[in-house]
Amino acid sequence: MRIDILTIFPEMFDGPFSHSIIKRAQEKGLVELHLHDIRNYAQNKHRRVDDYAYGHGAGMVMMIQPIADLIDKLKAERTYDEIIFLTPDGMVYDQREANRLSTLGNIILLCGHYKGIDERLREHYITREISIGDYVLSGGELAAAVLADSIVRLIPGVLGDETSALSDSFQDGLLSPPVYTRPADYKGWKVPDILLSGHEAEINKWLMEKAEERTRQRRPDLLEED
Ligand code: ADE
């Protein structure tokens, strides 16, 4: 899979992409992450990427030309399955969408700033608009990093069997059950006996009950979904 990220702050991705699972996935060649600085495509003296909003004093808007040129260049090189704009007014991201995106070949993530991007980009280039939650970030970069992380860990071969994404919270529509590790008794706080019993079938039943109980208590909305 290939993910192209269009941003005015490529350095913001240095941290999230150079550690742990996402780093290893790149090293193993399971994902290619490409950062593109939108400013490099600005055809004006001061490399400006924003301008005043027409018609009202809403603030600055990201200009069409640099982003359009950059997307045109990428589209001439390969076909993209989705061109995604990160924005608080997009569909709210969830595990189902992460699963879907992880099956695609090439995607573009466009990070916005200021009061947004020229609407014509949304009309003519963007195939999907995604929000990572009902709050406003200073730009789309952190949201794009969230998407990239959640997608990459689902690509076959990225996680080993032990950490398989199949047992994640949400993957079966439920929150995860509680987990414990050694010691079995910490200052009198004991690990539930069942987990030490070695009875695999009973342990699995207990885990499922706990997952359902936790979901009912904390996220009953998940049980109502189809
Ligand atoms: N850009 C600013 N806020 C955002 C959000 N909540 N989700 C995605 N992109 C954003």
Side-chain angles (χ1 to χ4, degrees):
M1 180 179 198
R2 174 180 169 119
I3 305 177
D4 289 273
I5 299 180
L6 284 43
T7 169
I8 54 170
F9 294 121
E11 318 78 39
M12 279 185 75
F13 295 87
D14 290 350
F17 288 177
S18 54
H19 297 281
S20 180
I21 288 163
I22 206 157
K23 179 183 180 204
R24 254 185 297 129
Q26 292 176 88
E27 287 168 356
K28 284 198 214 163
L30 296 169
V31 67
E32 278 183 43
L33 298 166
H34 295 269
L35 291 161
H36 306 273
D37 189 342
I38 294 168
R39 220 173 273 287
N40 291 342
Y41 294 81
Q43 282 177 3
N44 56 70
K45 224 176 36 201
H46 301 288
R47 301 214 306 156
R48 265 187 80 163
V49 292
D50 62 319
D51 209 335
Y52 294 97
Y54 271 124
H56 51 104
M60 307 305 278
V61 174
M62 289 180 79
M63 295 155 65
I64 191 165
Q65 175 273 316
I67 294 171
D69 283 1
L70 173 48
I71 298 178
D72 283 341
K73 174 181 139 4
L74 292 172
K75 282 173 77 172
E77 290 164 359
R78 69 196 61 76
T79 308
Y80 284 91
D81 301 301
E82 292 280 15
I83 302 180
I84 297 167
F85 176 46
L86 284 314
T87 172
D89 48 22
M91 65 156 278
V92 178
Y93 193 55
D94 61 12
Q95 190 64 40
R96 184 180 307 197
E97 179 69 356
N99 289 341
R100 189 186 74 82
L101 294 176
S102 75
T103 66
L104 302 180
N106 302 317
I107 64 172
I108 289 177
L109 303 179
L110 171 61
C111 307
H113 267 272
Y114 317 113
K115 280 291 163 192
I117 59 172
D118 190 302
E119 186 67 17
R120 290 165 291 185
L121 286 163
R122 297 168 85 152
E123 288 166 7
H124 298 288
Y125 287 96
I126 301 302
T127 59
R128 204 152 186 92
E129 306 196 352
I130 294 182
S131 161
I132 62 160
D134 290 339
Y135 42 80
V136 179
L137 301 165
S138 337
E141 281 74 12
L142 293 175
V146 165
L147 255 71
D149 186 288
S150 60
I151 293 167
V152 169
R153 62 196 302 288
L154 293 169
I155 297 171
V158 168
L159 298 184
D161 281 349
E162 264 174 54
T163 47
S164 161
L166 290 174
S167 59
D168 287 343
S169 271
F170 295 112
Q171 205 53 270
D172 50 8
L174 295 176
L175 301 184
S176 292
V179 291
Y180 300 86
T181 186
R182 286 189 289 188
D185 184 340
Y186 178 74
K187 298 183 181 174
W189 299 338
K190 299 212 171 72
V191 172
D193 287 339
I194 179 84
L195 295 177
L196 310 175
S197 69
H199 293 134
E200 200 184 335
E202 281 176 38
I203 291 173
N204 287 338
K205 185 164 159 270
W206 183 88
L207 290 171
M208 183 50 80
E209 281 165 13
K210 288 289 167 193
E212 280 167 5
E213 180 185 306
R214 188 161 274 194
T215 310
R216 214 168 22 252
Q217 283 167 354
R218 301 182 183 195
R219 293 292 307 275
D221 56 300
L222 293 177
L223 299 170
E224 284 152 24
E225 280 178 15
D226 54 78

